[in-house]
Amino acid sequence: MSTWDFAGNFVVRMNRSHLLAVGIALLGSALLMTTAGCSSPGKSGRADGTGGASTGTGGNAGQLTGETGGSTGGTGATAVAGSSGTGGGADGGADPYPPPTVTPPDEDGSQLWLRYPLVNLPARLTEYQAGITQLVTAGSSATLQAAQAELVKGLGGLIGATIPVVSQPTAAGAVVIGTPTSSAIISGLALGSSLTAVGNEGYLVQATTVSGKAAVVVAGNTDVGVLHGAFALLRQLQCHQPLAGLALSESPKIQRRILEHWDNLDGSIERGYAGTSLWQWSALPGTLSQRYTDYARANASLGINGVVLNNVNADSQILTTSYLAKVAALANVFRPYGITVYLSAQFGAPQQIGGLSTADPANSSVATFWVNLAKTIYTMIPDFGGFLVKADSEGQPGPADYGRTHADGANMLEAALAPHGGIVMWRAFVYSDNGTDRIGQSYSEFKPLDGKFNAGTMVQVKNGPLDFQPREPFHQLFGAMPSTPLALELEITKEYLGEDTHLAYLGPMWQEVLQSDTTAKGQGSLVARVIDGTLHGYKLTAIAGVPGIGSDANWMGSHFNQANWYAFGRLGWNPDLNAQAIADEWIRQTFSNDPVVVTPVTQMMMNSRQNLVNYMEPLGLVHMMGTNTHYGPAPWVDNLTPADTNPYYFHKADATGIGFDRTSTGSDTVAQYFPQVASLFATRSTTPDDNLLFFQRVNWDDLLPSSGRTIWNELVYRYSAGVDAVQTMRNQWPMVMGRIDNQRYNDVADFLQIQHYEARWWRDTCLQYFMSVNKHAMPAGYSPPQQSLSYYQSLQTTCPADPTKPRCPAIYTGSPSPAITN
Ligand code: GCW
């Protein structure tokens, strides 16, 4: 049964028994193990599936059908995380979770992964009830109080009883938290070098004995370390890990783990699909929403320790004293959670709010403006993190306006901040019409400046050289700036991957870039080693993610988008974590530990990004989306200025072939990579299929060796497989019906239906367009596009009506699958 709901969503309510039958059949064929990622996250495997030395940019056949194994792509397939299998199911036996007698109560997603439901594995509940009986208070700092409050809430929820807070352990089962300074018990445990080794933000969480009685210790060198440890303990328990033998020792591998909000002062969010900005500027500093604290809790649970509050397309008003008072109020809320505030600085601020006639970094009045501003900021926010800057890009002013370099601009700001301990994060995303290959501009501008930046400056580089596309190779700058600390910038909000509605788990995408081998210093020079600082000995390290978090109850616009916030935080803490292990622990905390839930949902998530690549931009295609809103397909667009903003610029499809030649016979941008990688991408036989058209131009009738299909037939196949894979997800999702609450179940089902229609829209539009230029026919065995090219072109004027919740009701009709008919 289907209807339209009041929000214009097409809603399907399915018959449960029918769908369970489908689901159970699928479950039987599921290949995934329900691994427990919580305590033993596997080291990430090579995401490329090749096991080879040069790159991690995607395997060949192995990646078409998903990213859970990649084993057909070669020998280095993704590792499956820790296989302890606690929580049930992995031991090959029956589901140890009793089926719920009633469907769990509705949830709106606002609690994220911090839900703390009663443990529904009977033996584990008994174990926890015996092993966790009281919480020993640690101290009065705001941070320790936050840790204590989280444990009282979390432990109480999990074991279904109020946890008494005591000053000294009085019974077995005490949870003892603190630092050697705040807690005499912790100090008495003499944890020695094992504690000092976890540094300022890390923790030890151990099952041990205190005064001869069983206890759980959560220790840190700092109060924030204790808070992180409290969340780590709660993660273990939410994943139903055994208490016995619990021994975690963790510290973050990247210093600054930052969410970069693209929030405007009018409450809108650039590329946000989850409502309006969290920051209630007109109510600040007087009114502090509970949402700020919950946001801080969620970040602290992942170890995220920095927040850029405002859009990089920055409004200089935020640097005025009245706004800084509001920023200071937010900083005060976040500080107990170990989170520092940063701001995006508008390079033109000296003119816009400083009364100067120039923003030239060589002008002494300009430098003085920034020095004075920094003094003001640090008076109001003593632990201010620093400035993020987008300059000389997409119309933003910058040092190039005055004939100066990026280093000149960044160093001026650094000189103002450094005396106070602040840093500058200068973005390498430069988009201006310089007539060369678009993907080479950033490298060309920044590589020559290596070594010219002051010590308190980082250059922040997007994962790929273009712009957060569903798949790109890693950015050429990684490995190429040994004397300049590079930060990695990721986009969590799914601007190019289906916005709020499409289920696309980005963990595999980020693992792919992090595990890519730049070969800068020989094999093993992974992007992860560049950004954790170990490859070049960087003194500063950082990772930033653009979250799109907003006012929606579920924070992210959809329940599954929460997994991307989660994965960003976990990979920032440890960039070698395995995306599947992260998915596993997120599912357990967000939905259920029941393998009847974990198994299909893991499979859905792990396949989702490659599925999306297939139905949007397979074989290395990029930038085929609609103009401005970036919603829906518009591959025909070729009349925008500058030329490198057109989809046509990137695919160059014509009667003979398709693809952008970036080898020596074309733009030769491959030469910006280190030689081993350059030769891999420049050579047809070694270019991964998934990057083929990004680097090479091919004829429509060329054969793709990995599949034996022609390029045209392979495109049709991939587009079609992508659509039908959404059908598979829609068949898998009902397996969780009744095991999770109906509200979130139905929300997800509704979005999967939209995704299915939109996948077909992408496929049919792109195939119609390509047929209009290559004059090929649809091969046998595939369903033809449902509408004409001109019909799809006409949709650009009506879809979407609202770019913040983009929809295209005109195409939500008919049957998207099967796209492959035999
Ligand atoms: O991908 C593009 C987005 C812009 C964004 C820009 C950037 C903030 O479409 O909206 O601007 O990236 O990263 O600066």
Short mmCIF file of all heavy atoms in Angstrom, two decimals, residues 37-66:
data_model
loop_
_atom_site.label_atom_id
_atom_site.label_comp_id
_atom_site.label_asym_id
_atom_site.label_seq_id
_atom_site.Cartn_x
_atom_site.Cartn_y
_atom_site.Cartn_z
N GLY A 37 32.70 -4.99 16.35
CA GLY A 37 33.72 -3.98 16.13
C GLY A 37 34.04 -3.18 17.37
O GLY A 37 34.94 -2.36 17.34
N CYS A 38 33.31 -3.40 18.42
CA CYS A 38 33.45 -2.48 19.54
C CYS A 38 34.77 -2.59 20.26
O CYS A 38 35.41 -1.60 20.52
CB CYS A 38 32.30 -2.70 20.51
SG CYS A 38 30.74 -2.22 19.78
N SER A 39 35.21 -3.80 20.58
CA SER A 39 36.43 -3.85 21.35
C SER A 39 37.63 -4.21 20.52
O SER A 39 38.74 -3.98 20.92
CB SER A 39 36.31 -4.87 22.47
OG SER A 39 36.32 -6.16 21.94
N SER A 40 37.41 -4.76 19.37
CA SER A 40 38.57 -5.21 18.61
C SER A 40 38.45 -4.77 17.16
O SER A 40 38.34 -5.59 16.27
CB SER A 40 38.68 -6.73 18.68
OG SER A 40 37.43 -7.31 18.35
N PRO A 41 38.46 -3.45 16.96
CA PRO A 41 38.32 -3.00 15.60
C PRO A 41 39.49 -3.48 14.77
O PRO A 41 40.64 -3.25 15.12
CB PRO A 41 38.32 -1.48 15.73
CG PRO A 41 38.95 -1.20 17.03
CD PRO A 41 38.69 -2.38 17.90
N GLY A 42 39.21 -4.16 13.68
CA GLY A 42 40.27 -4.65 12.83
C GLY A 42 41.01 -3.50 12.20
O GLY A 42 40.45 -2.44 11.97
N LYS A 43 42.28 -3.70 11.97
CA LYS A 43 43.02 -2.72 11.19
C LYS A 43 42.40 -2.72 9.81
O LYS A 43 41.96 -3.73 9.31
CB LYS A 43 44.48 -3.15 11.07
CG LYS A 43 45.21 -3.11 12.38
CD LYS A 43 45.88 -1.78 12.61
CE LYS A 43 47.14 -1.67 11.75
NZ LYS A 43 47.85 -0.42 12.03
N SER A 44 42.41 -1.58 9.20
CA SER A 44 41.76 -1.54 7.91
C SER A 44 42.58 -2.30 6.90
O SER A 44 43.80 -2.30 6.93
CB SER A 44 41.56 -0.11 7.48
OG SER A 44 42.72 0.39 6.98
N GLY A 45 41.87 -2.95 6.03
CA GLY A 45 42.54 -3.60 4.92
C GLY A 45 42.70 -2.58 3.81
O GLY A 45 42.24 -1.45 3.90
N ARG A 46 43.33 -2.98 2.79
CA ARG A 46 43.46 -2.10 1.64
C ARG A 46 42.13 -2.01 0.95
O ARG A 46 41.57 -3.03 0.56
CB ARG A 46 44.52 -2.64 0.69
CG ARG A 46 45.92 -2.69 1.31
CD ARG A 46 46.43 -1.28 1.53
NE ARG A 46 46.34 -0.54 0.28
CZ ARG A 46 47.24 -0.65 -0.69
NH1 ARG A 46 48.29 -1.42 -0.52
NH2 ARG A 46 47.09 0.04 -1.80
N ALA A 47 41.62 -0.82 0.82
CA ALA A 47 40.30 -0.67 0.23
C ALA A 47 40.31 -0.89 -1.27
O ALA A 47 39.28 -1.02 -1.88
CB ALA A 47 39.77 0.72 0.53
N ASP A 48 41.48 -0.95 -1.85
CA ASP A 48 41.49 -1.08 -3.30
C ASP A 48 41.33 -2.51 -3.77
O ASP A 48 41.09 -2.76 -4.94
CB ASP A 48 42.79 -0.50 -3.88
CG ASP A 48 44.03 -1.20 -3.37
OD1 ASP A 48 43.89 -2.17 -2.61
OD2 ASP A 48 45.13 -0.79 -3.76
N GLY A 49 41.46 -3.44 -2.86
CA GLY A 49 41.29 -4.82 -3.27
C GLY A 49 42.41 -5.33 -4.17
O GLY A 49 42.30 -6.40 -4.74
N THR A 50 43.47 -4.60 -4.30
CA THR A 50 44.53 -5.04 -5.19
C THR A 50 45.71 -5.60 -4.43
O THR A 50 46.44 -6.42 -4.94
CB THR A 50 45.08 -3.87 -6.03
OG1 THR A 50 45.67 -2.93 -5.13
CG2 THR A 50 44.01 -3.24 -6.85
N GLY A 51 45.89 -5.14 -3.20
CA GLY A 51 47.05 -5.56 -2.46
C GLY A 51 48.33 -4.99 -3.05
O GLY A 51 49.42 -5.24 -2.57
N GLY A 52 48.21 -4.22 -4.05
CA GLY A 52 49.38 -3.68 -4.72
C GLY A 52 49.92 -2.47 -3.98
O GLY A 52 49.38 -2.02 -2.99
N ALA A 53 51.00 -1.95 -4.49
CA ALA A 53 51.71 -0.93 -3.75
C ALA A 53 51.24 0.48 -4.04
O ALA A 53 51.38 1.36 -3.23
CB ALA A 53 53.19 -1.01 -4.09
N SER A 54 50.67 0.70 -5.18
CA SER A 54 50.66 2.07 -5.64
C SER A 54 49.48 2.91 -5.21
O SER A 54 49.62 4.10 -5.05
CB SER A 54 50.74 2.09 -7.16
OG SER A 54 51.94 1.50 -7.55
N THR A 55 48.38 2.34 -5.06
CA THR A 55 47.24 3.20 -4.81
C THR A 55 46.11 2.43 -4.16
O THR A 55 46.06 1.22 -4.22
CB THR A 55 46.74 3.84 -6.12
OG1 THR A 55 45.69 4.74 -5.79
CG2 THR A 55 46.20 2.80 -7.08
N GLY A 56 45.22 3.18 -3.58
CA GLY A 56 44.05 2.55 -3.00
C GLY A 56 42.80 3.16 -3.58
O GLY A 56 41.93 3.62 -2.88
N THR A 57 42.72 3.22 -4.83
CA THR A 57 41.66 4.01 -5.43
C THR A 57 40.57 3.17 -6.06
O THR A 57 39.86 3.62 -6.92
CB THR A 57 42.22 4.93 -6.50
OG1 THR A 57 43.04 4.15 -7.35
CG2 THR A 57 42.99 6.04 -5.88
N GLY A 58 40.47 1.99 -5.64
CA GLY A 58 39.35 1.22 -6.18
C GLY A 58 39.83 0.04 -7.00
O GLY A 58 40.72 0.16 -7.83
N GLY A 59 39.25 -1.07 -6.73
CA GLY A 59 39.63 -2.26 -7.48
C GLY A 59 38.83 -2.34 -8.76
O GLY A 59 38.11 -1.42 -9.13
N ASN A 60 38.90 -3.45 -9.39
CA ASN A 60 38.17 -3.60 -10.63
C ASN A 60 36.87 -4.34 -10.38
O ASN A 60 36.00 -3.84 -9.69
CB ASN A 60 39.06 -4.24 -11.68
CG ASN A 60 40.15 -3.26 -12.09
OD1 ASN A 60 39.97 -2.05 -11.94
ND2 ASN A 60 41.27 -3.74 -12.56
N ALA A 61 36.79 -5.55 -10.85
CA ALA A 61 35.50 -6.23 -10.73
C ALA A 61 35.05 -6.36 -9.28
O ALA A 61 33.88 -6.33 -8.99
CB ALA A 61 35.60 -7.60 -11.37
N GLY A 62 36.02 -6.45 -8.39
CA GLY A 62 35.68 -6.69 -6.99
C GLY A 62 34.83 -5.61 -6.38
O GLY A 62 34.14 -5.86 -5.41
N GLN A 63 34.90 -4.42 -6.91
CA GLN A 63 34.17 -3.36 -6.26
C GLN A 63 32.79 -3.11 -6.82
O GLN A 63 32.03 -2.37 -6.23
CB GLN A 63 34.98 -2.07 -6.34
CG GLN A 63 36.16 -2.13 -5.38
CD GLN A 63 36.38 -0.82 -4.70
OE1 GLN A 63 36.01 0.21 -5.22
NE2 GLN A 63 36.96 -0.84 -3.53
N LEU A 64 32.51 -3.71 -7.92
CA LEU A 64 31.22 -3.42 -8.53
C LEU A 64 30.08 -3.84 -7.63
O LEU A 64 29.10 -3.12 -7.47
CB LEU A 64 31.11 -4.13 -9.89
CG LEU A 64 29.76 -3.99 -10.57
CD1 LEU A 64 29.40 -2.53 -10.78
CD2 LEU A 64 29.76 -4.73 -11.89
N THR A 65 30.22 -4.97 -7.06
CA THR A 65 29.11 -5.49 -6.30
C THR A 65 29.17 -5.15 -4.82
O THR A 65 28.39 -5.64 -4.05
CB THR A 65 29.03 -7.01 -6.46
OG1 THR A 65 30.33 -7.53 -6.18
CG2 THR A 65 28.63 -7.37 -7.86
N GLY A 66 30.13 -4.37 -4.44
CA GLY A 66 30.13 -3.97 -3.05
C GLY A 66 31.51 -3.84 -2.50
O GLY A 66 32.49 -4.20 -3.12
#
